[in-house]
Amino acid sequence: QMQLVESGGGMVQPGGSLRLACAASGRFFGINFMSWYRQTPGKQRERVAHITANGRTNYTDPVKGRFTISMDNAKNTVYLQMDNLKPEDTAVYYCHADVIIGFELGYTDFRPWGQGTPVNVSS
């Protein structure tokens, strides 16, 4: 089955860096986009970075200049390089994708979520 597997979260001091990775596995025909979201208790899930199949990217304002999203098409993996981390970046980070999958009647979009990887920015 098509799945997203996340890695790279952990604890880091303010000003430090982490790189998250999300690998898409299983049978699928193509990726339309991949995104990173984050969520803290009591808050809505927030999209922090997005990348399309043609390489277009965008970021939420609080992370611009500090986070970089990239995708390795050969590995079907999206990365989120997080630099100059701040305490307010603390959250569970989730990978999200829009992929094309096949079924008996043809093809359809499938939009899975990863399980989430926690990031804790604290002294």
Side-chain angles (χ1 to χ4, degrees), residues 19-98:
R19 189 180 74 160
L20 308 183
C22 172
S25 63
R27 183 76 171 105
F28 58 93
F29 295 95
I31 298 173
N32 293 322
F33 66 76
M34 299 187 79
S35 303
W36 286 98
Y37 288 71
R38 65 187 181 188
Q39 188 169 27
T40 57
K43 295 181 63 179
Q44 296 185 33
R45 189 168 295 185
E46 173 190 33
R47 193 177 81 177
V48 299
H50 181 85
I51 185 167
T52 66
N54 63 5
R56 302 286 187 180
T57 61
N58 58 58
Y59 303 87
T60 188
D61 285 342
V63 310
K64 287 181 178 177
R66 300 187 297 118
F67 290 11
T68 303
I69 188 170
S70 62
M71 184 156 55
D72 185 331
N73 291 326
K75 296 181 179 180
N76 292 317
T77 299
V78 66
Y79 302 92
L80 185 67
Q81 178 67 43
M82 303 184 294
D83 297 320
N84 192 24
L85 283 161
K86 301 177 179 180
E88 52 263 41
D89 296 319
T90 296
V92 178
Y93 284 71
Y94 296 88
C95 179
H96 180 55
D98 184 302

Side-chain angles (χ1 to χ4, degrees), residues 1-4 24-34 96-103 107-114:
Q1 302 295 319
M2 196 271 167
Q3 296 180 352
L4 301 176
S25 63
R27 183 76 171 105
F28 58 93
F29 295 95
I31 298 173
N32 293 322
F33 66 76
M34 299 187 79
H96 180 55
D98 184 302
V99 302
I100 302 170
I101 62 171
F103 69 110
Y107 302 91
T108 190
D109 287 344
F110 180 52
R111 296 180 176 178
W113 291 87

